[in-house]
C-alpha cells in the first residue's frame, strides 16, 4: 500500500507509540449497514486501514448494526465488496450485535452504580425537558427511581413487556451540563423489530452513542477515528468507557468530512434518489457511491490517490469533482488502450475507393505507452464519422468536414467532401467524398497540409454500441446548505444515451474493460447492461480538464 501523507491523526499515533502509551495501533472502519458506501467513506477507510497498515497494526471491519429497522444484509454484502475492491483487507469482521449481551450487562452495571434509570417520558417530552444551548434541562420525574425498581423495569423492557417508545433507559449524568450530550442521554430503547443478525432475540437495542465506545473498548481499538460532528460526543464516549469499567481505553479522534461538488453524500439523500427513481439504483454510474463509481469505470487506484490528496483536518471540506476526474485520467493514461468510436454516426462513402476492397491499417494502441503495441483496423469505401464533424455551412475556423474541404482521417487518408446526400426532410444522411491514396498515414506524405483530424469507423465491420454520457447529478455546488431541497437541483440531463459504432476488435471487450476513445474520453464497458450482442460503454471522464493540482 502507498504511504499515508503526514496528517494530525498519524502524528498522534507516532507520539503514542514513541511515548509507550500504546504498543500497537488498532483501528476499525465502522459503517452502519443502512446504505451503500460512498466516496466520503473511502476517506475513513483509507485513514483507518492505511494508518494501521503503516504501523503494522490491525483494522477491523465492524458493522454498527444497532438500528435494525434501517439495516439490511444487502448493505452488509455491498460494503464488504466495496472495501475489498478499494484494496483493503480487514483483520477481523465484527458486528456490534455480537456484543449485545455484553452491552446489556454493562447497562445493568450502570443501573447498579446508580448511573442509569428507566424513564417513562415520551420522546417529545424528553426533548422538551432537555433544555437548549442557552437553558439548562429539567430532571425527569422518573429520575429518582430506586436501583431495584430500575433493574426490574429494565429486565421487563428486555422481556418485551412494553411497547416501542413506552420506556427508555437513560444515563444519569447532569441535566444542567453545558454539553447537551451529557444531559442524561438515552442509552437503550425498545424496538420490536427483527434484527438481520440476532433475529428476535432482542426487543431493546442500545443507542449508537452508548454502543460505539463499548464496541471500541471490547475490540481493543487504540484510535477511534470518526467525523467531526462527534466531537461533542467525546465526553460521553469517555464517560461510557470509564463508568462501564472497560479495561481498554480507546481514544476518539475526529476529522472533517469529505464532500464533493455537484453531488450529495448523505445516505439519506442517496437513498431518496434511488427510491424515488432519479437514478437506476445505488450503483448508477452517476452516484458518488463506490459501487456507482466502479460501474462508471473509476479505478481503486484513482480513488485512493484522490482521497490521499485531500487534507485531513478538523473541518469538513468540499472538494471539486474535477480533482477526482484528474486522478482517474492520470491512472488510465498509460493503461487504457486507445480506440475509435462513433457516438453519433454519419455515413461517408469514399467514391474513388475500390468497391469490395478492405485494407488493414496499423494503429498504435497507446502512443503514450508504445509497449502496448499496434492494432489493425479495417478501412474501406464506407465509413462512419461523427455528425458533429461535418457542417454544411461552417463558421470561420471550423476545420473539420464541409463541402470542398479536406481533412485527415486518423490512422488513414485525407478525404475531401464532394457531395451531400439529404433525405426528404433535408437532413444530411450521407456524404460522398474522395480520398487521396498518397496521403496514407505513416507514408511520410508531406505534399500538403490539412488542419483537421477526425476519427472514423469502417462501416461494414463496425460493431454497434451504446454510449452513456454523464453530467453532474446535482446542479448546485455543494450539499451543505441544502437540506430538503436538493431534489430541486437534480440535473435533468445527467444521463444522455447515444447509439453508434466501435472498431470490430472491440467485440471481444469484457465488462469493466477500459478504453480511451479518440477525442471522446475514457469509457468503461458497463458490467450490467452489456450482453453478447450489445456493448454498452459508460463515459468515465472526458479528455479535457481545467483542473490543475
Ligand atoms: P451518512 O451521514 O452518509 O449516513 P454516516 O456517517 O452515518 O454517513 P456510517 O456508515 O456511520 O455513515 O459511516 C462509517 C464511517 O465513515 C464513520 O466513521 C463515518 O464517520 C465515516 N464517514 C461517513 N461519511 C464520511 C465523509 N463524507 N467523509 C469522511 N468520513 C465519512
Ligand atoms: Mg451513521
Amino acid at each position: 500500500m502507498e504511504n499515508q501523507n503526514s496528517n494530525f491523526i498519524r502524528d498522534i499515533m507516532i507520539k503514542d507509540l514513541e511515548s509507550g502509551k500504546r504498543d500497537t495501533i488498532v483501528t476499525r472502519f465502522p459503517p452502519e449497514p443502512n446504505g451503500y458506501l460512498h466516496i466520503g467513506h473511502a476517506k475513513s477507510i483509507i485513514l483507518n486501514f492505511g494508518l494501521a497498515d503503516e504501523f503494522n497494526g490491525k483494522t477491523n471491519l465492524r458493522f454498527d448494526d444497532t438500528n435494525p429497522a434501517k439495516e439490511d444484509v444487502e448493505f452488509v454484502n455491498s460494503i464488504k465488496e466495496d472495501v475489498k475492491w478499494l484494496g483493503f483487507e480487514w483483520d477481523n469482521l465484527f458486528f456490534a450485535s455480537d456484543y449485545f449481551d455484553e452491552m446489556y450487562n454493562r447497562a445493568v452495571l450502570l443501573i447498579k452504580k446508580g448511573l442509569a434509570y428507566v424513564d417513562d417520558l415520551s420522546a417529545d417530552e424528553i426533548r422538551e425537558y432537555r433544555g437548549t444551548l442557552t437553558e439548562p434541562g429539567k430532571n425527569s420525574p422518573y429520575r429518582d427511581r430506586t436501583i431495584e425498581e430500575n433493574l426490574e423495569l429494565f429486565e421487563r423492557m428486555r422481556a418485551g413487556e412494553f411497547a416501542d417508545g413506552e420506556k427508555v433507559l437513560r444515563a444519569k449524568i447532569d441535566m444542567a451540563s453545558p454539553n447537551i450530550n451529557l444531559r442524561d442521554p438515552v442509552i437503550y430503547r425498545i424496538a420490536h423489530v427483527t434484527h438481520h443478525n440476532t433475529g428476535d432475540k432482542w426487543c431493546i437495542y442500545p443507542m449508537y452513542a452508548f454502543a460505539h465506545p463499548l464496541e471500541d473498548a471490547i475490540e481493543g481499538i487504540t484510535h477511534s477515528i470518526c467525523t467531526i460532528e462527534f466531537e461533542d460526543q467525546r465526553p460521553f464516549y469517555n464517560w461510557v468507557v470509564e463508568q462501564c469499567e472497560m479495561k481498554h481505553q480507546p481514544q476518539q479522534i475526529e476529522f472533517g468530512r469529505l464532500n464533493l461538488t455537484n453531488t450529495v453524500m448523505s445516505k439519506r439523500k442517496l437513498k431518496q434518489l434511488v427510491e424515488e427513481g432519479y437514478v437506476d439504483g445505488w450503483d448508477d454510474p452517476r452516484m458518488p457511491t463506490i459501487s456507482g463509481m466502479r460501474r462508471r469505470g473509476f479505478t481503486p487506484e484513482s480513488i485512493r490517490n484522490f482521497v490521499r490528496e485531500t487534507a485531513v483536518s478538523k473541518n469538513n471540506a468540499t472538494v471539486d469533482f474535477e480533482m477526482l476526474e484528474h486522478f482517474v485520467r492520470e491512472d488510465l493514461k498509460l493503461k487504457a488502450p486507445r480506440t475509435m468510436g462513433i457516438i453519433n454516426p454519419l455515413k461517408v462513402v469514399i467514391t474513388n475507393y475500390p468497391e469490395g476492397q478492405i485494407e488493414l491499417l496499423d494503429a498504435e494502441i497507446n502512443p503514450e505507452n508504445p509497449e502496448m503495441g499496434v492494432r489493425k483496423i479495417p478501412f474501406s469505401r464506407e465509413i462512419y464519422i461523427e455528425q458533429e464533424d461535418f457542417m454544411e455551412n461552417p463558421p470561420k475556423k471550423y476545420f473539420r468536414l464541409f463541402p470542398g474541404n479536406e481533412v485527415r482521417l486518423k490512422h488513414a487518408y485525407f478525404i475531401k467532401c464532394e457531395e451531400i446526400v439529404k433525405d426528404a426532410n433535408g437532413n444530411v444522411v450521407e456524404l460522398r467524398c474522395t480520398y487521396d491514396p498518397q496521403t496514407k498515414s505513416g507514408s511520410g506524405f508531406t505534399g500538403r497540409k490539412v488542419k483537421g483530424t477526425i476519427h472514423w469507423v469502417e462501416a461494414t465491420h463496425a460493431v454497434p454500441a451504446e454510449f452513456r454520457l454523464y453530467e453532474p447529478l446535482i446542479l448546485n455546488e455543494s450539499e451543505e446548505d441544502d437540506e430538503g431541497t436538493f431534489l430541486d437541483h437534480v440535473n435533468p440531463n445527467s444521463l444522455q444515451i447515444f447509439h453508434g459504432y466501435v472498431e470490430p476488435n472491440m467485440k471481444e471487450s469484457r465488462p469493466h474493460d477500459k478504453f480511451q476513445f479518440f477525442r471522446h474520453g475514457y469509457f468503461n464497458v458497463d458490467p450490467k447492461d452489456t450482453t453478447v450482442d450489445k456493448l454498452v460503454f459508460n463515459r468515465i471522464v472526458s479528455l479535457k480538464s481545467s483542473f490543475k493540482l
Side-chain angles (χ1 to χ4, degrees), residues 60 103 156 541:
N60 298 338
M103 290 173 186
R156 289 174 59 198
V541 65

Side-chain angles (χ1 to χ4, degrees), residues 28-45 47-48 64 79 208 212 225-230 255-259 265-268 270 316 479:
R28 85 288 172 261
F29 173 61
E32 190 185 349
N34 63 352
Y36 281 62
L37 296 184
H38 52 60
I39 179 90
H41 289 114
K43 178 141 189 169
S44 173
I45 291 172
L47 278 172
N48 281 297
D64 227 317
I79 290 169
Y208 181 87
H212 203 84
I225 303 170
C226 65
T227 40
I228 197 73
E229 70 274 15
F230 290 100
F255 71 99
R257 276 184 184 253
L258 169 65
N259 290 317
M265 212 86 101
S266 105
K267 275 183 275 186
R268 189 180 56 73
L270 294 174
N316 293 339
E479 72 171 318

